[in-house]
């Protein structure tokens, strides 16, 4: 039943991206397994990241069940769709329920999508990773699939107006080789290794990105350490964000 809703939603997203003339460059989709469970792990810089992460799995004919904050499921528009597509609501006050839901999906051979930073990074750099993805992979006996997105922040991100104009925005997606999660290893060590891999993929996506800011006012989407004007992690922390 979920596929009856999921596939038309994917079709609608692809139609919208075509209308916006987005230039989507995806490499590494072959690392996503065609069968069996896996935890797909991505950086988080946009409200649309779950859509682009899911697109990377389409060449392998896989649909991803994303873990998303519970408030998304209460929205009058997104809520019914998220529930129908069998995504997994996360109530941070009762996270164990979502964890068990995701674990059950993995054991049934589903791919579960996780954003281990837990929130959008306004600095567009990697925040610290929570260990839930590694623990899920360990307990379910499935691999972790690292991924990095770049350019999605230019479409719709926290604190910025949406850009749904035909702006020809490039989006770069890089998927890496599976990271194993042995049950006899400390989840924190696996998480550190996973974060390092996502960082490598993020840097590769940034290097491959085909455009640069048009002018000084357009540097907001570039991290400070790359010469942009996005706030640094230290500035955000000082501001209580």
């Amino acid at each position: 039943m979920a596929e009856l809703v999921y596939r038309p939603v994917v079709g609608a997203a692809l139609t919208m991206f075509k209308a916006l003339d987005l230039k989507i460059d995806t490499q590494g989709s072959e690392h996503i397994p065609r069968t069996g469970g896996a935890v797909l792990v991505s950086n988080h810089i946009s409200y649309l990241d779950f859509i682009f992460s899911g697109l990377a799995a389409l060449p392998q004919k896989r649909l991803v069940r994303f873990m998303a904050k519970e408030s998304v499921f209460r929205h009058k528009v997104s809520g019914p769709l998220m529930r129908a597509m069998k995504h997994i609501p996360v109530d941070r006050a009762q996270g164990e329920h979502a964890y068990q839901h995701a674990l059950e999906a993995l054991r049934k051979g589903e791919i579960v999508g996780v954003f281990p930073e837990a929130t959008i990074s306004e600095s567009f750099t990697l925040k610290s990773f929570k260990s839930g993805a590694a623990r899920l992979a360990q307990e379910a006996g499935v691999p972790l699939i690292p991924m990095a997105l770049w350019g999605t922040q230019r479409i719709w991100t926290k604190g910025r107006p949406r850009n749904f104009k035909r702006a020809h925005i490039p989006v770069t997606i890089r998927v890496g080789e599976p990271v194993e999660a042995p049950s006899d290893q400390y989840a924190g060590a696996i998480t550190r290794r996973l974060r390092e891999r996502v960082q490598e993929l993020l840097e590769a996506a940034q290097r491959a990105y085909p455009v640069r800011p048009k002018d000084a006012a357009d540097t907001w989407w570039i991290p400070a350490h790359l010469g942009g004007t996005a706030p640094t992690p230290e500035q955000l922390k000082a501001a209580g964000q």
Side-chain angles (χ1 to χ4, degrees), residues 19-106:
L20 296 175
D21 195 30
L22 300 184
K23 309 298 185 182
I24 303 175
D25 168 26
T26 303
Q27 292 185 13
S29 289
E30 68 274 10
H31 297 308
I32 298 173
R34 283 190 172 271
T35 60
V39 181
L40 187 64
V41 176
S42 175
N43 65 319
H44 198 12
I45 53 176
S46 164
Y47 289 115
L48 301 178
D49 287 341
F50 73 99
I51 299 177
F52 290 101
S53 296
L55 290 181
L58 292 184
Q60 298 295 83
K61 303 186 186 306
R62 301 303 301 271
L63 299 177
V64 183
R65 313 300 179 191
F66 285 96
M67 300 183 75
K69 60 183 181 180
E70 197 267 341
S71 60
V72 177
F73 291 78
R74 294 198 303 267
H75 190 276
K76 64 181 180 180
V77 176
S78 63
L81 291 174
M82 294 292 283
R83 289 190 292 272
M85 289 186 285
K86 302 300 182 185
H87 294 307
I88 302 169
V90 179
D91 182 347
R92 290 176 183 173
Q94 298 178 329
E96 185 60 27
H97 177 74
Y99 182 92
Q100 291 301 324
H101 189 168
L103 187 59
E104 180 181 343
L106 289 168

